[in-house]
């Protein structure tokens, strides 16, 4: 049982130190001559999220960044990059964290080809969906891979082909990129993961009986709003990875019970970790035109990012990998402008 006691709640350990720095990121200098991007705020209804047990809305806020030439070139079609936010923030906060539209405008001004960039909101009652498939949270994996893509293709001048769709994300969004990317190569053609969290289950030590008591005292999902960041993260993880429709009022199984680790729940969490999933999805990952991955040298997630890079290398799956100077959030805006957008400019299929 001891080894299970060392495997509870990877997420909280991995990025709790970055929780309060989500929007305090450095703004890259403006790029001379950058042309304005048009920002549209829309709502997309997701059938995949309907009926979830937490009561998360199936009507999701989405930011759509249209490139400078979109209005002036009415017959032109564009690739699309879907960019996923991290835990505890939504699309609006994500936009501030990566300083869009300025960084997207700057990337285009520095030579990246124009594309549409879409920022969907996947914040939930416990502060994050983990882009997973859960009756408790809702099927956010299908929301991103199908409902959102279908809506954007129907309402904007996109190149509606997997080779012209990119998927990217930071932290929890990087996890979502890995998870969805492994399972949906029929939808996306290139992936870029920024400081992805939750690639593995990592040690926290002996479960905290006091924390368990606090969580089990909740009488509805909405009561989690008064909890600490770490406890809400534990609930979000359990709701996404160990849902239980027979366990009201939270409809989830915690990884500890009466202070004792629950191996069956921990196994369900581990089954959702991309480092555990990798061997099953090698064939799918080989289908991508390109895979990118980066992490800061002072980020607690660096070890798992390196492990994912090495796992891809082990199977001969080409991937662009970088460890850059920075912590979990300090360099993210600059990486969007100078690395992520140019990456998709090189690897997605554009109209001839």
């Amino acid at each position: 049982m001891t080894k299970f006691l060392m495997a509870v709640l990877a997420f909280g350990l991995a990025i709790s130190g970055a929780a309060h720095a989500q929007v305090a990121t450095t703004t890259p200098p403006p790029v001379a001559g950058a042309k304005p991007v048009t920002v549209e705020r829309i709502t997309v209804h997701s059938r995949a999220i309907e009926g979830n047990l937490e009561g998360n809305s199936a009507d999701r806020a989405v930011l759509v960044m249209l490139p400078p030439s979109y209005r002036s070139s009415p017959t032109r079609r564009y690739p699309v990059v879907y960019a996923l936010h991290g835990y505890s923030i939504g699309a609006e906060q994500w936009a501030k964290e990566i300083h869009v539209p300025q960084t997207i405008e700057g990337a285009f001004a520095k030579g990246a080809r124009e594309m549409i960039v879409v920022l969907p909101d996947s914040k939930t009652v416990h502060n994050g969906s983990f882009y997973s498939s859960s009756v408790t949270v809702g099927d956010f994996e299908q929301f991103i891979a199908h409902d959102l893509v279908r809506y954007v293709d129907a309402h904007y001048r996109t190149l509606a082909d997997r080779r012209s769709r990119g998927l990217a994300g930071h932290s929890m969004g990087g996890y979502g990129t890995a998870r969805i990317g492994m399972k949906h190569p029929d939808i996306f053609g290139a992936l870029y993961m920024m400081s992805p969290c939750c690639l593995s289950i990592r040690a926290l030590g002996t479960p905290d009986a006091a924390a368990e008591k606090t969580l089990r005292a909740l009488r509805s999902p909405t009561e989690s709003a008064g909890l600490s960041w770490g406890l809400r993260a534990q609930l979000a993880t359990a709701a996404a990875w160990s849902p239980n429709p027979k366990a009201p009022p939270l409809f989830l199984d915690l990884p500890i019970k009466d202070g004792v680790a629950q191996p069956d729940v921990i196994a369900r969490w581990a089954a959702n970790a991309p480092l555990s999933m990798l061997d099953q999805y090698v064939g799918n990952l080989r289908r991508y035109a390109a895979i990118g991955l980066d992490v800061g040298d002072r980020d607690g997630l660096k070890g798992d990012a390196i492990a994912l890079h090495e796992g891809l290398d082990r199977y001969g799956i080409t991937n662009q990998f970088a460890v850059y100077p920075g912590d979990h959030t300090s360099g993210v805006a600059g990486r969007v402008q100078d690395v992520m957008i140019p990456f998709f400019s090189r690897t997605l299929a554009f109209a001839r």
Side-chain angles (χ1 to χ4, degrees):
M1 182 66 72
T2 301
K3 63 182 179 180
F4 289 112
L5 293 177
M6 296 299 293
V8 181
L9 191 56
F11 179 71
L13 175 67
I15 65 172
S16 60
H20 301 294
Q22 287 285 352
V23 297
T25 54
T26 302
T27 310
V31 178
K35 298 178 180 179
V37 162
T38 300
V39 181
E40 293 194 349
R41 288 170 169 81
I42 63 172
T43 300
V44 176
H45 182 81
S46 172
R47 294 188 64 183
I49 298 175
E50 289 178 355
N52 67 85
L53 299 175
E54 282 183 353
N56 295 309
S57 177
D59 294 321
R60 308 307 304 183
V62 178
L63 303 183
V64 180
M65 313 285 170
L66 300 175
S69 66
Y70 191 86
R71 301 301 186 197
S72 60
S73 302
T75 62
R76 183 175 173 182
R77 292 186 173 272
Y78 299 83
V80 184
V81 171
Y82 295 85
L84 310 181
H85 64 75
Y87 179 77
S88 83
I89 62 173
E92 293 287 350
Q93 295 94 331
W94 173 221
K96 293 175 182 177
E97 179 178 310
I98 57 176
H99 299 283
V100 299
Q102 179 188 320
T103 50
I104 296 174
E105 294 166 348
F108 295 158
K110 294 176 79 169
R113 303 175 74 178
E114 290 188 0
M115 63 194 75
I116 298 170
V117 181
V118 176
L119 279 58
D121 195 306
S122 295
K123 196 172 183 179
T124 63
V125 68
H126 300 314
N127 265 349
S129 69
F130 287 88
Y131 303 99
S132 298
S133 298
S134 163
V135 297
T136 300
V137 180
D139 195 338
F140 279 81
E141 178 184 318
Q142 293 299 315
F143 162 57
I144 299 296
H146 293 285
D147 295 346
L148 179 60
V149 168
R150 186 179 300 114
Y151 182 96
V152 171
D153 281 346
H155 291 81
Y156 295 93
R157 295 196 313 276
T158 69
L159 292 166
D161 186 282
R162 62 172 294 275
R163 295 169 298 177
S164 299
R165 293 193 199 103
L167 182 64
H170 174 257
S171 196
M172 184 185 76
Y175 167 82
T177 300
R179 176 195 181 95
I180 295 171
M182 285 181 179
K183 299 171 74 173
H184 297 279
D186 54 322
I187 303 298
F188 302 101
L191 308 174
Y192 199 94
M193 294 162 276
M194 309 176 75
S195 304
C197 83
C198 318
L199 296 179
S200 70
I201 298 297
R202 305 181 66 192
L204 259 193
T206 304
D208 185 334
E212 180 194 357
K213 183 178 179 181
T214 297
L215 296 178
R216 294 195 184 280
L218 297 177
R219 292 294 172 259
S220 72
T222 57
E223 288 186 9
S224 75
L227 299 179
S228 67
W229 186 94
L231 289 179
R232 294 189 80 182
Q234 180 162 358
L235 286 175
T237 309
W241 296 344
S242 50
N244 185 346
K246 301 295 185 181
L250 301 181
F251 302 104
L252 53 82
D253 292 327
L254 293 173
I256 55 174
K257 185 175 183 180
D258 299 326
V260 179
Q262 301 298 295
D264 59 329
V265 178
I266 293 169
R268 290 158 70 188
W269 285 27
N272 285 276
L275 287 175
S276 298
M277 298 165 62
L278 176 61
D279 301 317
Q280 306 170 58
Y281 293 105
V282 170
N284 285 356
L285 290 168
R286 292 191 195 281
R287 294 182 60 187
Y288 285 98
I291 297 174
L293 171 65
D294 66 25
V295 68
D297 61 358
R298 301 190 307 277
D299 192 334
L301 302 173
K302 182 177 71 171
D304 277 356
I306 291 172
L308 179 57
H309 161 63
E310 291 174 345
L312 293 170
D313 278 357
R314 184 167 62 250
Y315 281 108
I317 299 170
T318 302
N319 60 103
Q320 175 182 311
F321 177 64
V323 177
Y324 61 87
D327 57 29
H328 188 62
T329 57
S330 60
V332 64
R335 300 293 293 183
V336 167
Q337 175 180 281
D338 297 326
V339 181
M340 188 194 84
I341 296 295
F343 169 86
F344 288 115
S345 175
R346 295 190 306 271
T347 60
L348 296 181
F350 285 73
R352 296 179 180 177

